[in-house]
Amino acid sequence: MQPFIAAMQKVRQAFLAAIIKSFLRTKHVLQTILNIWISPSIIKGENVEAEPSTQEVRKLGAPEFVEVVNKAFHGLVGRKRLVALSDGLRKQFLESMFDNPQCMLPSYNHQLPSGDEQGTFLALDVGGSTFRVGLIELSGRKSGDEECKILKRSTFKIDKTVKQLKGVLFFDWMAERIGEVLAGQAEGHDMSDAPLSMGLAWSFPIEQTSLRSGLLQGMGKGFLAAHGLLGQDLGDLIQDSCSKRGLNVQVDAIVNDSSATLLSKAYLDSTTRFALILGTGVNAAVHLPVHTFSPSKFGIRPPEWHDSAKHVIVNTELSMFGSGILPSTQWDELLLSVHPDPTFQPLEHFVGGGYLGEIVRLVLVEGIRTAGLFGGVVPPNLREKYSLDTETLSRIESDRSPDLSTAQAVFMSRHPTTIPPTPTDLHTLRLIAAHVTHRAAGIIAAGVHALWQLRNEAESILPQESSHTLVAYNGSVLENYPGFKVACQKHLDTLVEASGGTKGSIELMYAEESSLLGAAIAGAVASLDG
Ligand code: GLC
C-alpha cells in the first residue's frame, strides 16, 4: 500500500504544480484546468519534453525574443558565408571521391538515356513516407507520341508501423503491395508469360554492384528495413519477396532516387547532367568523368564496364556532407542533442523536410516558454518531438491574408490549444519558419553550386564559359514550400556571379514524377544493356 500512497501523493503534487504554473501564466482558472485536462501528458510526463522549472525560464518580451531569433539567423546565408560554404563542401566532395564508401557513390549508369528507350515497365519508388508503384509506358523521344505515359499508379503510405518493419518483413510488405497493384491490373493489361520488368528508385544510400543490384546500406529516415540485412543484395531481397508471393516480375534496375531524377530529365532533354531532390531527405546526382575518382571507389567491376565508361552518374549522398561547416544555431544543437544518429546526415538536419518543422518547433516552444508567445501555453501536442510538420508550416506560410485566418485555422486543427494564436503570434511563427527555410534554401544552393564548380573543374570548363546548366529537381519541399525554389534560385545566381559566371547559368528545372519515370527509364536502359 505504501508505494501506492506515495505514487498518489506524487500525482497530486504534480497536478497542483501544473495548475499553479499554468495559472500563473494564464491568470484564468477555467482555462488552466482545461489546459491540463486536454493534456494529461503534462501530468504523466509521457513522450514529451520536460517542462523547464520556473527558475530556468528567462522572461523576455515577445519583441525581444523576435530580436534573439533575428540575430541568431542573421547573415548565416549571406553571400560571403555561402561562398565559403560552397568551397568547404567542394573540398569535402573531393575528399570523398578519393576513399569514402558512404558518399559520392558511382552508379553503374555510365550512359545517359538516348531517348529511344521503349517498352512497358513496372516502376517502384520507395520514398521517405510513401511507396509508389506505377506501370509506365515509354515510347521514345522521337515517337511523336507522349514520351512516357503513366498507365497506372498507386501510392501506399509508409507509416510508423511500416517503417518499423525489420529486415525481410519490409520487403514482404512491398511485395504484398506490388501484388495488389498487379491483381487490379490483370484484366486490363496483357500479362504474358514473360516476367514484367521492374525498375526501383530507392531513396536511401546503396552501393551499386551492377545496374540491377546493389548492397543495402544504413537507411536513415526512421526505417528499420536494413536491420540485420546490411550488405545484402537489395535486388535479391525484393525478388525473393515477390517470388514467395508468386509474382511474375523481375528486378531489372535499381537506382537511387536522385539518379532516377537525372535519368528522367535526361530522357527528355539530353543536356541534363544534374539532379536535386529535397523532400523528407535531400540528395543530388551528377554526371562526372570517371577519371576524377580514385579507382577504389568503383569496387570490382567487369573490365568491359571500365572500357566503355567515360562518365558515370554519381549518387552524391549530399545529406552526409557539411560536418563542421554548416551555419548552426542553438536550436540545431538542441535537435542534435537528442537525435539517435546525429552525425549520419549533417546537411539533411538543416534542410530536409523531415527536420525543418522540428527546428521551427524548438524555436517556437522556447518563445512560448520564455517570452509568452501563444499566451505562454505550449499547445499540448507541440510538446512532442517532431510534432510540427513542415507541411503545416508550408500551409501557414501560404496564407497571405492580413488577419492570417487560414493560418490560424490550419494551426488550430493540427495543434488544438485553449488560447488560439493571435495574428502577432502567427506572424512570429512565420518569421521563424522563414528564417529556417531561407537558410535551408541557401545551404541547398551552396551544395548545388559546389557540385557545379566541381564538374566545371573536372571538365576544365571556366565558370564564365560554362554553358546553361539544367538541374532537374523534385521533392515536396522544393515543389510545394512557398517561395523555397525561388529563394534557392536567387542564392544560386548570387553564387554563380560570385564565381565569375553569369546569372541564370544554373537553372532549377522541375522534373515531374521523376522517381517513377526514372525507375522505368533505368529499367529500359538496363534491358538494352543485356
Ligand atoms: C536521403 C537518402 C538519399 C536520398 C535522399 C532523398 O538523405 O540518404 O539516398 O536520395 O534522402 O530522398
Side-chain angles (χ1 to χ4, degrees):
M1 217 48 187
Q2 280 304 338
F4 176 74
I5 294 169
M8 281 309 290
Q9 258 169 358
K10 262 196 179 155
V11 169
R12 209 173 304 136
Q13 275 164 7
F15 188 75
L16 274 177
I19 288 188
I20 293 165
K21 204 183 289 170
S22 188
F23 179 59
L24 287 174
R25 284 198 189 121
T26 62
K27 299 186 181 58
H28 196 299
V29 182
L30 187 61
Q31 195 159 59
T32 300
I33 292 171
L34 270 176
N35 282 344
I36 293 167
W37 181 60
I38 284 182
S39 174
S41 55
I42 290 178
I43 302 170
K44 287 194 273 171
E46 279 170 354
N47 188 27
V48 291
E49 287 163 6
E51 185 90 0
S53 73
T54 16
Q55 287 98 310
E56 287 169 56
V57 175
R58 202 164 25 100
K59 283 284 171 203
L60 293 178
E64 283 117 309
F65 181 73
V66 165
E67 207 29 55
V68 168
V69 176
N70 283 339
K71 227 167 158 182
F73 283 90
H74 177 76
L76 289 186
V77 287
R79 178 183 150 121
K80 241 180 161 173
R81 295 284 292 265
L82 280 190
V83 169
L85 179 60
S86 168
D87 287 345
L89 287 171
R90 188 164 87 250
K91 207 164 141 249
Q92 294 187 352
F93 295 150
L94 284 165
E95 283 161 10
S96 292
M97 288 160 77
F98 192 66
D99 71 351
N100 191 332
Q102 285 194 306
C103 33
M104 297 306 274
L105 305 171
S107 67
Y108 266 69
N109 293 80
H110 58 84
Q111 266 169 338
L112 291 169
S114 64
D116 296 332
E117 294 78 5
Q118 296 184 357
T120 304
F121 299 88
L122 193 67
L124 312 178
D125 166 26
V126 183
S129 52
T130 52
F131 173 44
R132 304 190 330 129
V133 183
L135 196 63
I136 313 284
E137 188 178 86
L138 302 176
S139 312
R141 213 185 286 152
K142 295 169 215 126
S143 65
D145 220 2
E146 215 177 320
E147 300 96 334
C148 17
K149 227 184 271 165
I150 301 178
L151 302 178
K152 184 177 173 128
R153 171 178 36 190
S154 300
T155 300
F156 304 95
K157 199 164 166 43
I158 301 183
D159 58 17
K160 230 177 174 175
T161 333
V162 178
K163 283 190 180 187
Q164 282 170 359
L165 291 176
K166 284 188 184 159
V168 169
L169 291 179
F170 178 78
F171 298 100
D172 288 348
W173 176 85
M174 277 178 67
E176 209 176 322
R177 304 290 79 76
I178 298 170
E180 280 168 26
V181 173
L182 292 181
Q185 189 58 33
E187 314 92 55
H189 191 74
D190 175 24
M191 299 289 287
S192 60
D193 287 340
L196 189 54
S197 174
M198 285 197 305
L200 166 72
W202 183 247
S203 48
F204 305 92
I206 181 171
E207 186 189 332
Q208 300 265 180
T209 46
S210 77
L211 284 176
R212 42 183 64 80
S213 58
L215 308 182
L216 197 59
Q217 299 192 338
M219 290 176 70
K221 297 179 187 168
F223 281 67
L224 298 188
H227 192 93
L229 298 181
L230 281 180
Q232 293 210 26
D233 190 278
L234 178 60
D236 287 349
L237 288 164
I238 296 174
Q239 190 69 59
D240 289 350
S241 290
C242 288
S243 304
K244 265 195 295 190
R245 301 195 75 79
L247 302 177
N248 191 19
V249 291
Q250 177 178 309
V251 179
D252 274 337
I254 296 180
V255 276
N256 178 261
D257 57 344
S258 61
S259 309
T261 299
L262 203 164
L263 288 171
S264 78
K265 200 65 173 177
Y267 183 68
L268 305 172
D269 180 334
S270 62
T271 65
T272 317
R273 297 289 181 274
F274 289 83
L276 171 67
I277 300 259
L278 181 59
T280 310
V282 63
N283 203 358
V286 52
H287 193 238
L288 285 175
V290 166
H291 70 80
T292 50
F293 287 82
S294 89
S296 65
K297 290 284 298 191
F298 295 96
I300 301 163
R301 301 191 179 200
E304 310 85 69
W305 189 89
H306 286 285
D307 291 345
S308 39
K310 296 290 162 269
H311 285 75
V312 63
I313 295 182
V314 180
N315 164 16
T316 64
E317 285 298 336
L318 180 61
S319 65
M320 296 186 192
F321 290 90
S323 174
I325 55 173
L326 290 161
S328 191
T329 66
Q330 66 206 71
W331 299 288
D332 303 293
E333 279 158 30
L334 193 58
L335 184 146
L336 292 183
S337 68
V338 288
H339 194 289
D341 200 351
T343 53
F344 181 46
Q345 296 179 303
L347 196 135
E348 189 156 302
H349 301 148
F350 285 72
V351 303
Y355 294 103
L356 295 173
E358 177 63 359
I359 305 171
V360 172
R361 187 191 72 87
L362 290 168
V363 183
L364 178 67
V365 167
E366 183 174 324
I368 295 175
R369 286 181 175 153
T370 63
L373 302 178
F374 287 60
V377 176
V378 181
N381 66 9
L382 263 196
R383 293 184 62 205
E384 283 165 33
K385 295 186 189 85
Y386 294 90
S387 53
L388 181 56
D389 280 348
T390 303
E391 189 258 343
T392 304
L393 294 177
S394 148
R395 294 196 51 200
I396 289 175
E397 280 226 60
S398 308
D399 184 0
R400 295 276 153 228
S401 68
D403 63 348
L404 297 178
S405 49
T406 310
Q408 194 195 53
V410 169
F411 186 88
M412 286 299 285
S413 69
R414 291 165 184 209
H415 304 288
T417 174
T418 48
I419 310 180
T422 63
T424 312
D425 290 330
L426 291 166
H427 274 295
T428 309
L429 172 56
R430 283 158 57 106
L431 177 102
I432 300 168
H435 273 309
V436 172
T437 50
H438 188 73
R439 179 183 64 167
I443 294 173
I444 292 288
V448 171
H449 177 259
L451 286 173
W452 179 75
Q453 293 263 74
L454 183 92
R455 174 170 179 268
N456 283 347
E457 281 168 14
E459 304 277 15
S460 309
I461 303 171
L462 293 172
Q464 57 273 27
E465 285 164 8
S466 173
S467 58
H468 181 234
T469 304
L470 276 189
V471 179
Y473 77 82
N474 193 281
S476 54
V477 176
L478 274 164
E479 284 174 47
N480 305 326
Y481 201 98
F484 196 99
K485 189 224 130 187
V486 173
C488 205
Q489 182 67 58
K490 271 195 192 141
H491 286 304
L492 270 174
D493 290 344
T494 306
L495 281 163
V496 167
E497 283 181 322
S499 52
T502 323
K503 180 178 167 187
S505 290
I506 307 179
E507 190 185 354
L508 297 173
M509 182 75 72
Y510 180 47
E512 200 179 346
E513 280 297 2
S514 62
S515 287
L516 279 184
L517 296 182
I521 291 159
V525 170
S527 44
L528 288 177
D529 195 68

